[in-house]
Amino acid sequence: MNNLNNNQSGVTFFIFGATGDLAKRKLYPAIYSLFREGKLNERFTVIGLARRHRSREEFQNDVYQAIQEFARYKIDQDDNWESFVQHFEYMSLNTNDLNAFYELNQLTESLEQRFDIKGNRLFYLALAPQLFGQVANHLRDGGLLNSSGWHRLVIEKPFGYDLQSAEELNAQIREVFEEEEIYRIDHYLGKEMIQNIEVIRFANAFFEPLWNNKYIANIQITLSETVGVGDRGGYYENSGALRDMAQNHMLQMVAMMAMEPPSRMESEDIRDEKVKVLRSIRSYSDTQEVGEHVVRAQYTEGVLNDKTVHAYRDEDSVSKTSNTETFFAAELYVDNFRWAGVPFYVRTGKRLPSKATEVVVEFKNIPENVYFAKTNQLEPNLLVFRVNPQEGIYIKFNAKKPGGKSMIIPVAMDFCQSCEVGLNTPEAYERLVLDAMRGDSTYFTRWDEVASAWKYIDSISNAWSQNTNDLQFYEAGSWGPEGMIQLLQKKGFKWWPVHGQDEAEVTWVQAKSEK
Ligand SMILES: NC(=O)C1=CN([C@@H]2O[C@H](COP(=O)(O)OP(=O)(O)OC[C@H]3O[C@@H](n4cnc5c(N)ncnc54)[C@H](OP(=O)(O)O)[C@@H]3O)[C@@H](O)[C@H]2O)C=CC1
Ligand SMILES: O=C1O[C@H](COP(=O)(O)O)[C@@H](O)[C@H](O)[C@H]1O
């Protein structure tokens, strides 16, 4: 891979949407961390682009504020700051104005000369997706793709609203950029423990032999959030949890858990294996199937961390009669040899009691329980990937209670990675920006992955559009609607508590729904 060369010949970052939320919270902090860690040499420049007017100084000051507020490295020395910020320029540009792109090309060429950059250009679109096609065309027509280096387009989710709109969007972009030049961000793929799933699976003789339907009873994926929709109500009304979290982050996690070992750890080999999983996810054929396997719900007013929080319908830019789901749970099946019959349970929701991203692998019982009469079950073995906020691996198994005669109790081995290496591990966006700069697309989603994910999601949204009566409600600060528990109960399973969740609370929720 030509990683080092890419970095050594410099790069121009074009941040479209430079005054927006994503740029401030994620992109400037990521670029600063890379700079502080020596992963960006002196040969780079960042051009911020948005419609509103900003002088160079004002823009640099915005970047300063964003870094102080959101970056894991604080600006502690003026020297650091001065040598960093001299690389930042701003230009007011409306994406619909081709003339502005000619001007941008001139500005770029002069900056490339100043910083000795060999024409490598990374276009980051932190913009609404409706503008992607227009930007791509204007980049080409404005001459920005004529430089001698590489050209890469980084785009944010959501990639479309359904399969059809995603295909249209893809076609627009592909008129200008090759698939290899397109980096579709799914920031979950930049998270340390998501990347660790493949290592834990493929570098350990403990796990891979058991990784199939003979030994695994079910897999549970939880992405719970305490936040509500905040000021993103307008966006969220058209997205809901299904498109905001399930279509991308959640299905990518399913793919990482279920994929076959790739023959080589190369980008295309890994993505080939992931897409096979996504293609094998069973779509639901009608509203009845969706009703049986999928739960959608919306939060009502409630108490979270001792504070009363609004109902979703009372959030800014949200309709008082909105049917948008802020909670999504499903039982899904990967129809292939390895996973036949193994349910994958997924759930995500806003305004839940704690922030947690976890994957639990529940193993089947041993063939014969020699310790107790058959009616007494041993606790199943669990392997848990803790993704966020704590990062680590947790294994629960059965052992003899010390001193007891034949008492068996579940015990745990808990490896807390974030405790070991400290909390200051790289943010997902840092890894992904660096990967895009180096030309490594492993942890970006390829078009066929996106399209396959949409097929499954469309089977749900089509059914929902025919039946609006199945929306459930849950109080903000609770763990979600009752339907989520019933999804598993039908098969004799229960949701395992996520880190920090009291087991008694799970039992209580369970008991409540059993009534
Ligand atoms: N914020 C987040 O946490 C996440 C965001 N995303 C995605 O990232 C993208 C950006 O999101 P976010 O930063 O939140 O959005 P914001 O609304 O905060 O920012 C949008 C940016 O686009 C600029 N802009 C809008 N129209 C034009 C135009 N015609 N020409 C030039 N610039 C324009 C705006 O600046 P100005 O008004 O000055 O033109 C602003 O800088 C979206 O696709 C979103 O879905 C994805 C995951 C998370
Ligand atoms: O993509 C998104 O992700 C965030 C959650 O990300 P995390 O890294 O904090 O787990 C979510 O809040 C947001 O709605 C969604 O667009």
Side-chain angles (χ1 to χ4, degrees), residues 112 115 176 199 235 243-244 278 290-291 329 365 440 443 456 507:
E112 284 176 341
F115 292 107
V176 180
V199 180
Y235 152 77
R243 294 181 173 87
D244 187 48
L278 294 166
V290 169
N365 287 335
D440 182 353
Y443 295 112
Y456 168 72
T507 318

Side-chain angles (χ1 to χ4, degrees), residues 16-23 25-26 49-53 90 93-96 125-129 131-132 134 156-158 187 232 235 244 249 429:
F16 288 87
T19 52
D21 177 71
L22 185 75
R25 282 194 308 111
K26 299 293 182 188
L49 300 152
R51 286 168 306 184
R52 75 196 72 166
H53 289 279
Y90 182 82
L93 167 148
N94 190 326
T95 56
N96 66 14
L125 307 195
L127 287 173
L131 304 176
F132 292 175
Q134 184 175 72
E156 273 293 342
K157 65 165 253 277
H187 78 275
R232 295 172 74 213
Y235 152 77
D244 187 48
H249 311 322
Y429 274 91

Side-chain angles (χ1 to χ4, degrees), residues 340-355:
V342 179
F344 284 69
Y345 295 108
V346 294
R347 60 176 169 170
T348 183
K350 292 203 184 283
R351 289 289 191 222
L352 303 184
S354 62
K355 170 79 182 166

Side-chain angles (χ1 to χ4, degrees), residues 295-309:
V295 173
R296 60 167 158 168
Q298 191 186 81
Y299 61 81
T300 56
E301 186 183 273
V303 178
L304 187 62
N305 295 331
D306 301 327
K307 270 191 166 152
T308 301
V309 294

Side-chain angles (χ1 to χ4, degrees), residues 26 157 187-188 191 223-225 227-228 232 235-236 244-245 248-249 350 355 357 388:
K26 299 293 182 188
K157 65 165 253 277
H187 78 275
Y188 269 57
K191 288 185 190 274
L223 284 76
S224 71
E225 298 191 89
V227 292
R232 295 172 74 213
Y235 152 77
Y236 202 83
D244 187 48
M245 298 290 272
N248 33 72
H249 311 322
K350 292 203 184 283
K355 170 79 182 166
T357 307
N388 194 12

Side-chain angles (χ1 to χ4, degrees), residues 268-313:
E268 294 315 317
D269 300 283
I270 293 173
R271 300 198 300 179
D272 284 347
E273 296 308 335
K274 276 167 53 201
V275 79
K276 285 186 211 162
V277 174
L278 294 166
R279 277 194 212 121
S280 309
I281 295 178
R282 191 188 306 166
S283 289
Y284 308 109
S285 53
D286 52 31
T287 43
Q288 190 188 335
E289 260 189 24
V290 169
E292 278 166 24
H293 297 283
V294 179
V295 173
R296 60 167 158 168
Q298 191 186 81
Y299 61 81
T300 56
E301 186 183 273
V303 178
L304 187 62
N305 295 331
D306 301 327
K307 270 191 166 152
T308 301
V309 294
H310 293 309
Y312 175 70
R313 288 179 179 178

Side-chain angles (χ1 to χ4, degrees), residues 15-33:
I15 311 242
F16 288 87
T19 52
D21 177 71
L22 185 75
K24 287 183 184 160
R25 282 194 308 111
K26 299 293 182 188
L27 303 184
Y28 305 137
I31 295 172
Y32 185 61
S33 297

